[in-house]
Structures are given as structure tokens and as C-alpha cells.
Amino acid sequence: MYKLLLTIRYFRSRFLAIASLLAITFGVAMLVIVLSIMGGYLVQLRENIRGQESHLQVISRDRKISVTDVAALEDLIRSVENVQATAPFVERLATYNNGLSFQPCQLKAVTPRKEMHVTRFAHFLLRPGELSEILRMPQRDPTVATRAVDALITAPERRDLSLEEVEGLFSKEWRRQIIEETEPQLIELYGEDIPPAALVGIQLLLEGELLLGDIILVVTVSPAADVTPIHRDFVVTGALKSGDFDIDSGTIYVELGEAKDFLELCDQSTGICRHQGVRVSIDDPELLEKTSKDVADRLLGTFPQLEVLTWKDLRRNILKAVLIEKFLVYFLVLILVFFTGSMVLLMLLLTVIEKTRDIGVLMSLGATPRGVTSIFFLNGFLICTAGTSLGLGLGFAFCTYINEIHDAFYDATGWSLFNAEIYHMDRIPIAFEPLDILLSTLPPVVIGLLASLVPALWAPRRDPIKAIQYE
Amino acid sequence: MSNDPSVLYAARKLYKEYRLQGISVPVLKGVDLEIRRGEILSIVGLSGVGKSTLLNILGLLDSPTRGGLAYWGRDEEFHGRDVAALDINDKSRLRNRDFGFVFQFYHLLPDLNVLENVLLPAMILRSVKAFRANKALLTDRASELLRRVGILERRDFPPNRLSGGERQRAAIARSLMNDPELVFCDEPTGNLDTVTGHRIHELILELNGELGTGFVVVTHDRGLARLAHRTLSMRDGLFMNHHN
């Protein structure tokens, strides 16, 4: 009983004890925040990559647009166990002209009805109603507008676009309607030959680079000759928001069938068409590596020039870099925790020195050395566990409201601390992983307890008799 | 050691030497002593003759270099054993249950109030559960002791708000909390004025009479020594004579 009572009294009356508790609280909170943000960043990055990339990609080993007989290839891939769907694709670096200047972009030619089954294409696309709602917003500050788009996209009740809705965005009727609404005089000019649809990253619309209904000139080089410039008009009929700033600010999706002529994918004399590759989705993502190997084995006889890459292979470097950065930052913050541990050690040593007379009195009243040790160890234990618990709570609270805190700071100062252009995502991502929580709480508790042990064991070895002889 | 049932505690040939800078300094040079049940024994002598060292050894706070201690207290487990050679936990048990201590500088714990200070030996004796189960009873006993020593109204005060005399009264109440056989007092009036010191003498006498608790008092105070049943005078590490 006396151990508990004195532990609490010693703690309450010592400024240093409260300072040590606060140091541990902030140390743990920092660990939680750092690991949650870095973990969230990694999760979000994976999610973004997974959204943009299919589980697997079958492409030519020479990375050229040289995959022929894509229908047979798709059939062969789909015959592999665990394969869910396939979609051919072509990607090119290109520029687009918005009437003012040429801007670089990534041109993605896809088959919408297939693409929506291999990537999160149908999730990222915005319905015309959603898009007009976003574009009607009075606040044109891209940061604030991005927040609103994010809220709309992540609303739990929002469903992915249906096949009809996806195909509708590329349809001739929708293209005509858009041009009639924005530039009706062009209808006569184009007649029945209305330019194909281009769906652009939302940032291009939010930042005023492009407008809905704009006719854009897309220029790239022929994959056949690699030097001959080729170009085609497209009409902006919609937008998508992937959460990856690079994609949202520099990608244009077009329909593969419409782009075949423009991209010179088919040989006019033989009728053979070439594609960059085939995207593949699988039923059980846990079997990613196995399915990748199965597909590669199946292709070996018929398509030996092709190779299979998983989505992790495609972005291996950035995923590894973020993981390394996460643990690097963790170890840096851990140094701070060691520092707080040494604070506990010093604080308890000072308390032992200051309380030598109390120790002498307690021992004269019958307290055992173990009892005296317990008082100081409990003191350290109280500081460590209370500090860790408070730090955990503070870290969780901060992480839960981190975007609100960021937004409030932005509204007050105009400074954006989390730059979407740098981090490739527009909201601060958070993920609470059990391992991260363990990594945040275990070291401070262990370090704190070890730091408490030294003064606690030292306390009964002081000379209490000498201490009680004098005032 | 002793067949006399009135003897509570006996010291035989106690020696104590300290080493200072490699030189052996003898403090006690073969002290023999018998303390009877319920007596007030005062030990007087000049500073540095070994009074406090003897008291610390008798109170099991320190160990003799040579010699033994025999104790015939409540717990028969210790009868006939050299209590100076007990292990640290048994010594702590004896100090807690059978002995009380009163120091010159009171040594109340400043982080506890007066009542909590008095309750401290009872807290040390019991587990948390046992203390909680008997808390009301123990608090009543502590309050009763504070009433006896005349500072019940100060029970919730921190020690630093008490006068020297009140602090010493609280320390006496604390020493009696576990109903000890023997209370060791080291210069209990050494830090008090004459009038307050005299009141402490009366209190010790009164408590001895009412409770039958024995007191071993190391003092320079001739007044206090005169009140004792027996006074022993120390000189150069040995007792000079016995006064009854």
C-alpha cells in the first residue's frame, strides 16, 4: 500500500516527473504520427498503384508496341487459373494543345468495358453530374477544390460507374451534346466526324488548363517509325480522379478502338494490329506471384517474347524507397525516445538522492529493500505507461484529424504543408497498423523501465542510516 | 543468553568498528546490555561515545562487527536466535512489528500528511488488500494515537505546517502504530526547546505507563534521563555504571 501511495505522491510533487511524462508522451505521439503517416503513405501509394495498374501486365520484353494477335493472347491468359479479366492497352508519351500551348501528358488508350475490370477505372471516373457539381463550385482554389472532390469520391454511398455510364462518356451522343453545349458552331464543321472522346485528369480542369468540351490536339510519335509526329483532335468529355497527383494532372484516356488509326497500330496491308500489352486482373490477390508464374509458363510456348510483371514489379523502386524512408524516420524518432528514457533515468536518480532520508525512515519502519526498490520502479513504470498511453491517445487523435488540422492551418495561413505535387496524393494518408503501434509503444516502455531499474536498485543501497542521523 | 523472563532484549559483547581511510576506528568495545519488558532505559554520554551506533545496532538498522543480540518478543520464531544475524527481510519484519523509532529530527515523510505518516508502519505490515480491508480500524487506531499525543486536530496537515514539538508527537504516534514492544528514541528532545522537551518527557512516561511499551532513549537531556527507570552512561564505547 505504501509503495503505491508514495509512488503517486512522489510523482505528483515532482516537476521533473511530469516533465519526463510529457517527454515520453510527445515521443510516443511522434512515433505514432510518423509511422501512421508513413504507413498510410505506403498503403495509399500501393492503393493508387493498384488502382492504376492491374495485378499483372503482360508486355513485350523489348518494351515496344509489338504485341500482335492480342485476342489469342487474352484467351490464353484467361485460361490460367485465378485470372479474372484481361484488357489490351497502349500507352504513349504525348503532348496536347489547349489552344494556348503544348503540354506533356501520358496518353492511355484503353478498351473501357475491359479496362474497368482490370483497374479501378470505373471508380476513378466522374459522372457528368458529379463533374458539373465540382466545376460549379465557387471556390476555384485547387487545394480547396481538391478537398471537395476527395470528399465526393470517398463518400461511402458512392458506387463505381456502370458499364453503360463508362461507355456513355465515350459515346458519340455525349460528345455531340458536349460540343453543342460549349462550342455549337463546331458541330457543323465536324458533321458526323465528331472527334473521339478524351477523359482527362481532374486537376487539368480544376486548374483551368482545360475545359469540358475543349477540342484538344494530341501529338505523339508513330510507334512504327518512332520519329514521325502524328496528331489527332479529341474532345474533352469527362474527367477522372485517381488520387495520384501525377495522373490527375497529366493523363489523358482515349478509347483504344478510336485511337488505332491515329496511333498507327494496324498495318494497312496485312491488317495485323499491335498493342503494348495486356493488363490482367486476378481473383485472389494473395496468389499474385503464383499466378504471375503460371501466366508466364503458359505464354512460354506461344508468346516467348512476352514477359509478365506484377504491379509490385512495376513500382518496385518507389515502394522500397518509401519503406526504407519509413524505418529511417522511425529510427530517428527512436533516438528521441532514448533521450526521454535518459530523462527518466536522471529524474529517478535525482529523486533517489533527494529521498535518501525517506528511504532511511521507511527502512527503519520495516520496509524491505525490495519494497524501496518497488517505489522507484513503480514511479518509472507509472511515468512510462502513463506517458505511452497519453502519447498513443495524442498520436491517434492527431492522426485522426490530421487533414482537418492541415485544412484549418491552410485556411488560416494559406500555406499548404502537404504539397500534392510532391507527394503524389492530395490528402495526408493515415494507416494504423498493429505492428506500427507495437513499434511505437514497446520501445518507450522498455527503455523507460530499464532506465527506472538502475535508480530503483540503487535506492536501497544508499546509506539510509547516515541520512536519518542528520536533519 | 538469559533465563530471566523479564528480559526482553539482550546484547552480548557487541563490537563495532568503522574503517576510515583504511584505519580501523573502534566505536563499541564489547557492550553487554539487558533491556527489560516495559522499562524506560536511557543511555547518556558525551557525543561520539557510540550511543547512536548502539541504538542503530539494537534497532537492527546496523550490524555489529562482532557480538550477538537475543530477543524474546511476541514472535517465538526469534527466541534464542541471534537477531543480529537474521536476513534482511526478517530484520525488516522485526523492525516493523516489534520496534518503533523516534529520531531527533522527527523524519516525517513530507509527501504524506500527519495521519498517513502515522499509518505508514501499518501500511508496510500489510498487503494492499489487507490494509484496505482494515482501513477504518487502522485509521481509528492512528487517530486514537494522535489524540493521545495531543495533535488529533492536525491529522490532515502536511508535516511542514506543524511545530517541532508537534512533529515529534506525530513521530511518537507513528512509532506506536504497530503496538511495538520497544521504541528506540535517538535524542527525541535534542531539537526542541526546554518546555516542549519537557512535554515530550511527560508523554513518553505517560505512554509507557498506559501502553506498557518499552523505550530506549539516547539523550543528552538530564531531565529526560532522570525520568527513566534506568540510566546507563557510556564512555569510550562501553557502559560505565548502571543506575536503577
Side-chain angles (χ1 to χ4, degrees):
Chain A
M1 182 69 196
Y2 73 102
K3 300 170 206 162
L4 212 58
L5 182 68
L6 285 172
T7 298
I8 293 166
R9 293 294 165 84
Y10 284 175
F11 173 76
R12 270 197 344 206
S13 61
R14 301 288 168 282
F15 166 76
L16 265 178
I18 293 165
S20 303
L21 180 129
L22 288 177
I24 291 185
T25 299
F26 287 117
V28 171
M30 275 179 71
L31 279 176
V32 170
I33 294 166
V34 162
L35 287 179
S36 300
I37 291 177
M38 294 304 289
Y41 186 67
L42 200 60
V43 168
Q44 190 61 49
L45 194 66
R46 281 168 186 266
E47 185 72 14
N48 284 355
I49 293 170
R50 258 301 298 124
Q52 299 145 20
E53 306 289 354
S54 52
H55 289 116
L56 302 174
Q57 251 187 40
V58 178
I59 55 171
S60 170
R61 290 182 196 280
D62 61 12
R63 301 290 188 269
K64 288 184 177 168
I65 299 178
S66 58
V67 179
T68 54
D69 203 2
V70 77
L73 176 62
E74 283 186 86
D75 286 343
L76 192 65
I77 295 169
R78 277 199 300 269
S79 69
V80 174
E81 194 183 351
N82 196 37
V83 168
Q84 188 184 61
T86 57
F89 72 97
V90 172
E91 288 183 7
R92 301 294 288 164
L93 279 175
T95 59
Y96 68 89
N97 188 313
N98 60 0
L100 296 170
S101 61
F102 278 96
Q103 298 293 332
C105 69
Q106 181 80 5
L107 184 69
K108 295 191 175 193
V110 298
T111 308
R113 66 187 162 77
K114 289 187 170 183
E115 185 71 12
M116 62 190 284
H117 295 298
V118 295
T119 63
R120 300 190 73 198
F121 189 57
H123 177 74
F124 295 150
L125 285 178
L126 297 167
R127 293 182 173 85
E130 293 170 337
L131 187 57
S132 56
E133 191 185 321
I134 291 163
L135 296 177
R136 269 205 311 273
M137 284 177 188
Q139 177 58 269
R140 294 313 297 266
D141 177 339
T143 306
V144 178
T146 303
R147 259 188 250 163
V149 180
D150 191 62
L152 190 121
I153 289 282
T154 54
E157 66 277 6
R158 185 182 186 269
R159 291 200 315 276
D160 292 354
L161 271 68
S162 65
L163 174 62
E164 289 71 29
E165 286 176 311
V166 171
E167 291 195 320
L169 291 172
F170 292 91
S171 69
K172 194 170 189 179
E173 294 73 34
W174 177 239
R175 283 182 271 156
R176 179 185 291 278
Q177 188 184 326
I178 289 267
I179 295 173
E180 274 175 353
E181 283 172 9
T182 53
E183 296 187 72
Q185 72 281 7
L186 293 177
I187 290 291
E188 264 186 51
L189 183 72
Y190 287 119
E192 282 304 302
D193 194 18
I194 293 173
L199 305 183
V200 300
I202 186 71
Q203 290 296 335
L204 295 175
L205 298 184
L206 289 175
E207 288 169 15
E209 288 279 326
L210 292 172
L211 298 171
L212 202 59
D214 268 359
I215 305 293
I216 54 171
L217 179 71
V218 176
V219 182
T220 184
V221 290
S222 166
D226 272 356
V227 284
T228 315
I230 50 175
H231 58 86
R232 177 85 159 94
D233 280 349
F234 288 88
V235 57
V236 177
T237 61
L240 72 145
K241 184 184 183 305
S242 70
D244 182 321
F245 190 82
D246 277 358
I247 290 181
D248 292 344
S249 61
T251 300
I252 296 177
Y253 275 89
V254 297
E255 210 265 308
L256 183 59
E258 295 273 13
K260 268 181 182 166
D261 290 343
F262 155 55
L263 292 173
E264 298 175 352
L265 299 176
C266 299
D267 188 320
Q268 299 298 338
S269 55
T270 61
I272 295 171
C273 292
R274 290 163 295 137
H275 294 81
Q276 189 158 354
V278 172
R279 293 198 229 272
V280 183
S281 65
I282 60 176
D283 285 318
D284 184 359
E286 296 292 316
L287 300 174
L288 182 74
E289 300 299 334
K290 181 186 178 300
T291 312
S292 167
K293 189 173 177 306
D294 290 349
V295 172
D297 290 345
R298 189 68 56 89
L299 296 178
L300 215 54
T302 327
F303 296 95
Q305 78 280 18
L306 303 184
E307 71 172 325
V308 185
L309 300 174
T310 67
W311 65 271
K312 290 178 189 170
D313 296 330
L314 290 165
R315 304 291 182 94
R316 187 179 298 278
N317 287 347
I318 185 149
L319 289 173
K320 200 183 273 181
V322 173
L323 196 65
I324 290 170
E325 194 181 335
K326 175 181 173 177
F327 284 101
L328 194 69
V329 176
Y330 171 72
F331 283 113
L332 289 175
V333 178
L334 207 56
I335 293 171
L336 270 180
V337 174
F338 272 104
F339 178 71
T340 59
S342 63
M343 257 189 92
V344 173
L345 175 78
L346 284 175
M347 185 280 297
L348 285 177
L349 285 177
L350 282 173
T351 308
V352 169
I353 292 168
E354 191 187 332
K355 293 294 171 191
T356 303
R357 186 175 301 138
D358 283 15
I359 296 167
V361 173
L362 285 169
M363 292 183 85
S364 73
L365 296 179
T368 57
R370 181 187 273 191
V372 171
T373 296
S374 304
I375 294 171
F376 294 95
F377 188 71
L378 275 173
N379 221 306
F381 180 78
L382 178 75
I383 291 168
C384 293
T385 49
T388 302
S389 307
L390 286 173
L392 210 55
L394 184 68
F396 276 138
F398 190 85
C399 288
T400 306
Y401 296 104
I402 195 165
N403 281 302
E404 284 79 359
I405 293 167
H406 173 269
D407 294 346
F409 185 78
Y410 177 79
D411 293 341
T413 64
W415 292 343
S416 179
L417 300 175
F418 187 83
N419 193 328
E421 289 175 43
I422 296 169
Y423 296 104
H424 302 277
M425 46 193 82
D426 34 50
R427 305 301 283 157
I428 303 171
I430 291 292
F432 298 118
E433 300 285 342
L435 178 68
D436 290 345
I437 292 166
L438 197 70
L439 287 173
S440 307
T441 52
L442 202 61
V445 171
V446 171
I447 292 165
L449 291 185
L450 286 176
S452 313
L453 207 56
V454 177
L457 290 172
W458 182 55
R461 285 171 175 73
R462 303 267 299 153
D463 192 350
I465 295 167
K466 202 177 273 178
I468 55 179
Q469 294 288 317
Y470 307 103
E471 189 171 15
Chain B
M1 285 188 189
S2 175
N3 294 322
D4 182 354
S6 69
V7 174
L8 174 68
Y9 204 10
R12 291 285 178 265
K13 301 285 174 222
L14 280 187
Y15 288 85
K16 181 69 182 179
E17 291 170 10
Y18 290 109
R19 292 194 74 79
L20 288 175
Q21 296 173 332
I23 301 164
S24 175
V25 180
V27 179
L28 299 181
K29 300 172 178 173
V31 171
D32 286 315
L33 173 68
E34 285 188 347
I35 302 167
R36 296 186 198 118
R37 290 176 202 281
E39 78 167 336
I40 301 177
L41 170 69
S42 72
I43 300 171
V44 295
L46 297 173
S47 295
V49 295
K51 305 186 299 290
S52 294
T53 303
L54 176 64
L55 200 74
N56 287 335
I57 291 173
L58 291 174
L60 305 179
L61 290 170
D62 202 355
S63 300
T65 311
R66 269 178 291 149
L69 294 169
Y71 178 66
W72 295 272
R74 283 184 279 243
D75 201 339
E76 291 188 3
E77 183 192 340
F78 300 114
H79 291 186
R81 288 171 67 184
D82 178 8
V83 293
L86 291 177
D87 72 28
I88 201 154
N89 291 324
D90 282 340
K91 279 184 179 174
S92 298
R93 195 145 58 96
L94 267 181
R95 278 201 301 266
N96 179 240
R97 294 194 313 193
D98 288 46
F99 299 158
F101 291 87
V102 176
F103 305 101
Q104 181 180 356
F105 300 105
Y106 336 118
H107 294 327
L108 299 174
L109 301 197
D111 294 286
L112 306 181
N113 65 26
V114 170
L115 181 70
E116 287 164 340
N117 264 289
V118 175
L119 279 168
L120 203 52
M123 291 184 200
I124 293 171
L125 179 64
R126 292 167 179 83
S127 65
V128 175
K129 201 175 164 187
F131 181 80
R132 284 197 176 140
N134 295 294
K135 192 174 177 185
L137 212 65
L138 293 166
T139 306
D140 285 349
R141 173 164 171 75
S143 300
E144 172 58 19
L145 286 167
L146 286 171
R147 189 192 61 74
R148 275 175 186 248
V149 299
I151 53 163
L152 181 60
E153 71 284 3
R154 301 274 196 271
R155 54 180 267 169
D156 297 322
F157 281 38
N160 62 7
R161 287 186 58 197
L162 302 185
S163 67
E166 286 172 332
R167 288 184 206 189
Q168 199 58 299
R169 285 163 185 270
I172 292 170
R174 180 178 66 183
S175 74
L176 297 169
M177 183 63 205
N178 283 351
D179 189 21
E181 296 265 15
L182 208 50
V183 175
F184 298 100
C185 307
D186 192 358
E187 302 280 7
T189 58
N191 209 33
L192 302 173
D193 60 70
T194 317
V195 176
T196 314
H198 186 69
R199 286 189 185 141
I200 295 294
H201 302 165
E202 286 173 345
L203 183 62
I204 290 174
L205 207 59
E206 200 178 294
L207 292 167
N208 172 258
E210 283 179 24
L211 306 172
T213 310
F215 285 84
V216 177
V217 186
V218 163
T219 184
H220 282 106
D221 186 337
R222 291 281 165 193
L224 179 54
R226 268 199 298 275
L227 291 175
H229 300 134
R230 246 180 346 136
T231 300
L232 299 177
S233 184
M234 272 192 94
R235 187 173 168 182
D236 198 20
L238 284 168
F239 287 120
M240 289 167 63
N241 51 11
H242 287 217
H243 306 279
N244 290 315

